[in-house]
Amino acid sequence: MRLPCEVEVLSRHLPVLGLKSRGKGVRAVVSLCQAPHAESGGRACLLVSTMKDKRGTRYEANPGNLKSLLSAVRMAHRGCDVNIPLSTLTPAKTSEFENLKTKMVIASQKDYPLSKSFPCSLEHLQVSHCRLARVDMRMLCLKNLRKLDLSHNCIKKLPATIGDLTHLQELNLSDNHLESFSVSLCQSTLQKSLQSLDLSKNKLRALPVQFCQFRELMNLTLSDNELIQLPFKIGQLKNLRFLAAARNKLTKLPCEFKMLSLEYLDLFGNIFEKPEVLPIVKLQVPLTLLEFSARAVLSHRILYGPDIIPFHLCRDLDTAKTCVCGRFCLDSFIQGTATINLHSVAHTVVLVDNVDRMEAPIIAYFCSLTCYVNSSGMLK
């Protein structure tokens, strides 16, 4: 029976000699072995093997303590009593230490493993410049992965199963051929873990509204794509601190953009338009039953989903507009364009263009004529 782990061996004589342990563990394989009968009467012993000492150091084990330890391990891990035969007293293999790797960097196609599996203990995997056309499914079995870097490849589509990497915090997909970002990935367990996402240098034209469900996201890089708009519920990204969306095709910013609180913002090189003089009026008098019901559901934060109401109604609710007064509207609204000083949402702002401009147009919605009249001063 072998257990790959990190081990620190302490000597009980150190305090007597006035010495202290360094307190630093090393990667090791701890084996419960049957010692040769001639050496110890065939009694069980612990063998601690390291990369430098593959034959290992043997520690005689007290039968009573071993029995208690194994019973506790079995109960905690399996919840039942299992008889496991002891392994023979043999040196540890080099492969047993290699499987404990936590970081792997593959920077060329010739180094990419075709027949050999990725170590299951990996926490950081970088695979760049390998001309990958799709995400290798073997990577999606690395349940301890916290950082995945697949930059500088040829990936066109992301599998939804990336969302099964429950501990993933950083995902780098820059310089690929991505044209879309799936809704299923936005609704995966990455909502609770993903903190940094780099989608720069792809072919993205839009992001789904569900993208704003990545509530733990702190760093988002969208530069050098073909985005014509940002997700209009981007204000829900309360933890976002770094946003780069330079060199896209943005003409206006969504209304909820003003709800962000950023440390760094880069929108350089977009084609922002001048604010429109006349508003777009789509008011309905009286309100339709659908409009009235949708406003009530959103205002009272009533839970909804495709298992409760039809999918098309969920889509309508997901794409509802937020009035400047804080209320919601679906199909009945007035749309105008205001100008926002980007320093109101970010501490550090990269110039919007080459003429020292720090302002950008932002879409504003009004749920009624009263709201529009009362807030007309913000439209400039």
Side-chain angles (χ1 to χ4, degrees):
M1 188 173 94
R2 295 192 170 190
L3 175 66
C5 59
E6 192 166 283
V7 170
E8 180 184 356
V9 179
L10 302 177
S11 172
R12 285 175 286 185
H13 298 292
L14 289 180
V16 178
L17 300 175
L19 301 175
K20 294 183 179 180
S21 170
R22 290 179 298 177
K24 184 178 180 180
V26 295
R27 289 288 181 177
V29 174
V30 178
S31 305
L32 181 60
C33 303
Q34 191 80 36
H37 192 279
E39 297 182 22
S40 61
R43 293 175 58 185
C45 66
L46 288 176
L47 184 70
V48 179
S49 305
T50 63
M51 182 65 82
K52 293 182 179 180
D53 180 18
K54 296 177 184 176
R55 295 191 62 84
T57 303
R58 188 190 312 168
Y59 297 88
E60 297 296 334
N62 181 283
N65 293 340
L66 275 179
K67 184 177 180 180
S68 299
L69 173 64
L70 293 176
S71 297
V73 170
R74 283 198 298 267
M75 292 176 63
H77 182 60
R78 291 190 161 187
C80 60
D81 190 8
V82 179
N83 293 323
I84 302 177
L86 300 179
S87 60
T88 58
L89 189 60
T90 56
K93 299 179 181 179
T94 302
S95 60
E96 293 182 87
F97 297 97
E98 292 178 345
N99 289 337
L100 296 173
K101 284 184 177 179
T102 59
K103 181 177 180 179
M104 176 179 285
V105 176
I106 303 171
S108 65
Q109 192 174 17
K110 64 181 180 61
D111 296 328
Y112 191 81
L114 296 176
S115 58
K116 187 177 180 181
S117 300
F118 294 103
C120 61
S121 56
L122 283 181
E123 297 179 4
H124 177 185
L125 175 61
Q126 177 180 338
V127 181
S128 303
H129 303 283
C130 292
R131 298 182 182 180
L132 292 182
R134 61 182 63 87
V135 179
D136 192 331
M137 299 305 290
R138 293 178 297 169
M139 301 176 187
L140 307 181
C141 298
L142 305 175
K143 300 304 182 182
N144 296 319
L145 212 57
R146 297 181 180 275
K147 183 175 181 179
L148 178 60
D149 186 342
L150 298 175
S151 59
H152 308 291
N153 283 294
C154 306
I155 300 172
K156 295 183 178 180
K157 187 177 180 180
L158 298 175
T161 44
I162 287 185
D164 295 336
L165 300 174
T166 56
H167 298 293
L168 193 63
Q169 297 177 349
E170 300 181 37
L171 179 58
N172 188 345
L173 296 163
S174 66
D175 195 13
N176 276 281
H177 298 165
L178 294 174
E179 297 181 354
S180 62
F181 198 89
S182 69
V183 173
S184 57
L185 191 56
C186 298
Q187 297 175 332
S188 68
T189 55
L190 292 182
Q191 293 180 11
K192 300 179 180 179
S193 64
L194 196 61
Q195 298 179 8
S196 178
L197 177 60
D198 191 341
L199 294 171
S200 61
K201 296 183 180 180
N202 279 282
K203 299 179 180 180
L204 296 171
R205 300 189 64 185
L207 294 173
V209 64
Q210 292 84 358
F211 184 87
C212 299
Q213 294 178 5
F214 290 125
R215 303 295 174 83
E216 300 302 317
L217 204 59
M218 299 177 65
N219 300 303
L220 176 60
T221 306
L222 300 170
S223 300
D224 299 291
N225 277 281
E226 300 175 10
L227 293 172
I228 58 176
Q229 62 183 10
L230 294 177
F232 72 91
K233 287 196 174 184
I234 194 170
Q236 295 180 356
L237 301 178
K238 301 296 184 182
N239 291 315
L240 194 63
R241 295 295 176 265
F242 178 100
L243 174 60
R247 295 172 296 278
N248 279 280
K249 298 180 180 179
L250 302 176
T251 58
K252 300 181 183 69
L253 298 177
C255 182
E256 290 195 8
F257 191 86
K258 62 181 181 293
M259 299 171 59
L260 295 175
S261 180
L262 305 172
E263 296 177 3
Y264 180 91
L265 173 62
D266 183 4
L267 296 175
F268 180 81
N270 283 284
I271 51 176
F272 289 120
E273 299 176 349
K274 292 183 178 180
E276 299 173 356
V277 178
L278 297 177
I280 299 174
V281 181
K282 292 187 176 181
L283 290 177
Q284 300 171 348
V285 181
L287 295 178
T288 64
L289 180 59
L290 174 61
E291 180 77 21
F292 188 82
S293 301
R295 293 187 180 192
V297 168
L298 294 171
S299 297
H300 293 87
R301 299 183 179 181
I302 298 174
L303 295 177
Y304 64 88
D307 55 332
I308 302 176
I309 59 176
F311 175 77
H312 71 277
L313 294 180
C314 295
R315 182 182 56 200
D316 290 341
L317 291 170
D318 287 339
T319 56
K321 287 81 176 171
T322 304
C323 176
V324 295
C325 70
R327 292 192 287 263
F328 300 94
C329 44
L330 198 64
D331 298 318
S332 177
F333 58 84
I334 298 177
Q335 177 183 321
T337 308
T339 300
I340 183 176
N341 188 319
L342 298 177
H343 274 297
S344 65
V345 297
H347 182 269
T348 301
V349 179
V350 176
L351 297 177
V352 173
D353 51 30
N354 293 320
V355 293
D356 297 343
R357 193 154 59 100
M358 290 289 185
E359 296 180 339
I362 185 170
I363 298 175
Y365 293 100
F366 308 90
C367 64
S368 65
L369 183 60
T370 302
C371 279
Y372 177 75
V373 172
N374 293 338
S375 304
S376 58
M378 68 178 293
L379 300 179
K380 298 180 182 179

